[in-house]
Amino acid sequence: MTIKKSVCVLGVTGSVGSSTVDILKAHSDKYAVDAVTAHRNVQGLAKAAIELGAAMAVIADESLYEDLKSALSGTDILVAAGDEALVEAASRPSDIVIAAIIGAAGLKATLAAIRRGARVGLANKETLVCAGDLMMAEVAKYKATLIPVDSEHSAIFQVLEQKSVDKVDRILLTASGGPFREWSLDDMKSVSPKQALAHPNWDMGAKISIDSATMMNKGLELIEACRLFPVPEERIEVVVHPQSVVHSMVEYSDGSVLAQLGSPDMRTPIAYALSWPERIRVDVARLDFATIGQLNFTAPDMKRFPALRLAREALRAGGTVPTVLNAANEIAVGAFLGGKLTFLQIAETVERMMNRIAASPLRDLDQMFDLDDMIRRETLGLIKTGL
């Protein structure tokens, strides 16, 4: 008889969370769900909790506690609400935690899972962007296992030969280029949120879709790659690959380049994080190379997509600067979606905040949380007063 692995899904109603639900339902003989969480989507959370037979459901917005309790009445599912309850869910003794809460909001719960030595499937790149060195020190201290869920980092994780890390010449992060890959700067001045949300290859949530359109998503992934893998920043390159078939590559000192390929479907890297070091069957589209015909690669245009430059500058500066980059970007993306900023003003806002806040060493997580709050307030103020 197979002993089931217990799973906690932080952010079960988002894009990654919903794909995780599909896999867990398809492999209910292998996984038992302990806890699921969501930010405000009560009905989606209740539905997932019931379908997965979860022991606990947590809604982050405390004002929705009664709504969730009502939606789960008649079940034995434990109901809780608030930030502390999110941490409690991650602290429960599940074998695997899928950390899919978008933005810095997921950091505390992810940290709680790390500190109990869990296996963490990390879909929240902001955790490593904001406090990468501190988080990786916690991973080592508590002997946790971090498995990246981002398709690019999952690809690198799969083809990076641990015994040959010292023989790595380059890591090549692939980027689709987003919906505006071939647009001019003049064309991008009038981009609408609807246009920016329409990614050509991936089905993703709103925030990550906008980040993909500005290419800030690839910038954040560049920073994350430097935290996850023992390769210096100058040997990590970004290459635009519009087909999204090659998810990333590692080049070794003998000239060999190992790549991981697959259909652009997040269920593949999620399944790998759940099943590692083994693999499970996932019902995703198989590649038909004859139909694909060709794979294209080009260098990114830093002038049209300055977010990539800003991310690399933040990485090189280190300390508190990546936290500033991330917090300012989250607020700017929200302002664009709310009609308060133009598309091109997203990166402009981030750059202004990076220039406004002096860089300093990042001492601990409390400092990071305080800085994150301050940057969000100041970015909102900058947007209100006009750029």
Side-chain angles (χ1 to χ4, degrees):
M1 180 179 178
T2 303
I3 298 176
K4 294 184 180 182
K5 295 280 189 182
S6 57
V7 180
C8 166
V9 185
L10 302 173
V12 76
T13 60
S15 175
V16 170
S18 297
S19 294
T20 304
V21 170
D22 289 345
I23 296 168
L24 293 172
K25 287 165 61 177
H27 293 278
S28 58
D29 59 322
K30 295 180 176 66
Y31 303 103
V33 178
D34 180 68
V36 290
T37 81
H39 179 48
R40 291 183 53 84
N41 188 344
V42 170
Q43 294 305 317
L45 175 59
K47 181 174 183 289
I50 292 169
E51 287 181 350
L52 296 173
M56 182 183 193
V58 176
I59 192 79
D61 187 333
E62 292 186 24
S63 69
L64 297 173
Y65 171 77
E66 292 298 334
D67 291 345
L68 180 60
K69 191 174 181 180
S70 174
L72 291 174
S73 63
T75 73
D76 294 327
I77 299 171
L78 177 65
V79 176
D83 290 341
E84 290 186 7
L86 287 178
V87 173
E88 179 188 350
S91 300
R92 290 165 64 93
S94 57
D95 298 306
I96 305 165
V97 176
I98 299 296
I101 297 175
I102 296 298
L107 204 153
K108 289 183 180 179
T110 303
L111 182 60
I114 288 170
R115 285 177 170 167
R116 64 175 179 82
R119 182 204 299 179
V120 177
L122 188 66
N124 177 310
K125 61 177 63 68
E126 291 82 2
T127 295
L128 293 181
V129 170
C130 293
D133 290 341
L134 296 174
M135 296 297 286
M136 294 308 292
E138 295 291 285
V139 169
K141 179 179 179 180
Y142 293 98
K143 296 180 172 58
T145 302
L146 212 56
I147 310 292
V149 169
D150 264 339
S151 62
E152 296 81 1
H153 300 97
S154 176
I156 296 165
F157 186 84
Q158 293 181 58
V159 301
L160 186 64
E161 298 174 348
Q162 292 301 316
K163 65 181 181 297
S164 301
V165 167
D166 61 331
K167 302 297 191 297
V168 172
D169 272 5
R170 287 188 301 167
I171 285 177
L172 297 159
L173 281 173
T174 57
S176 70
F180 311 127
R181 176 173 55 88
E182 297 182 337
W183 287 39
S184 70
L185 277 172
D186 282 342
D187 290 337
M188 285 192 276
K189 287 178 181 177
S190 58
V191 162
S192 69
K194 182 179 180 181
Q195 289 173 308
L197 289 168
H199 195 281
N201 300 337
W202 295 93
D203 181 14
M204 305 180 292
K207 197 268 181 181
I208 194 171
S209 293
I210 302 303
D211 281 349
S212 180
T214 64
M215 291 197 73
M216 178 62 83
N217 187 51
K218 205 54 50 179
L220 298 178
E221 289 175 2
L222 168 68
I223 298 174
E224 185 182 7
C226 279
R227 310 304 191 207
L228 285 169
F229 309 113
V231 177
E233 169 266 328
E234 62 271 15
R235 287 198 275 141
I236 301 179
E237 300 178 14
V238 173
V239 60
V240 175
H241 168 51
Q243 291 91 355
S244 296
V245 169
V246 178
H247 297 303
S248 276
M249 299 171 275
V250 176
E251 181 183 73
Y252 291 91
S253 57
D254 63 357
S256 299
V257 178
L258 302 189
Q260 188 265 341
L261 285 69
S263 296
D265 193 316
M266 282 304 297
R267 288 177 295 174
T268 297
I270 294 167
Y272 188 71
L274 285 167
S275 62
W276 177 87
E278 299 176 357
R279 294 182 186 268
I280 55 177
R281 174 161 288 278
V282 184
D283 186 20
V284 298
R286 270 35 183 181
L287 292 179
D288 183 338
F289 289 97
T291 299
I292 293 170
Q294 63 181 3
L295 300 174
N296 304 102
F297 302 91
T298 59
D301 186 331
M302 299 294 189
K303 185 176 181 181
R304 288 187 298 126
F305 298 100
L308 264 178
R309 169 181 57 81
L310 295 174
R312 197 173 282 275
E313 288 176 1
L315 176 58
R316 288 171 176 167
T320 55
V321 181
T323 303
V324 176
L325 171 93
N326 181 73
N329 179 65
E330 285 192 25
I331 295 300
V333 168
F336 167 68
L337 289 170
K340 304 280 178 51
L341 287 178
T342 67
F343 180 75
L344 294 181
Q345 285 177 324
I346 297 173
E348 184 181 343
T349 300
V350 174
E351 185 160 22
R352 290 202 177 193
M353 290 306 299
M354 287 174 63
N355 291 334
R356 177 183 291 192
I357 307 299
S360 62
L362 188 60
R363 299 184 303 274
D364 53 43
L365 290 169
D366 288 338
Q367 177 200 8
M368 191 280 300
F369 286 121
D370 290 343
L371 176 65
D372 182 79
D373 288 341
M374 186 267 284
I375 296 302
R376 289 169 190 273
R377 291 194 303 270
E378 291 208 10
T379 306
L380 283 170
L382 175 65
I383 293 168
K384 285 179 182 178
T385 57
L387 296 180

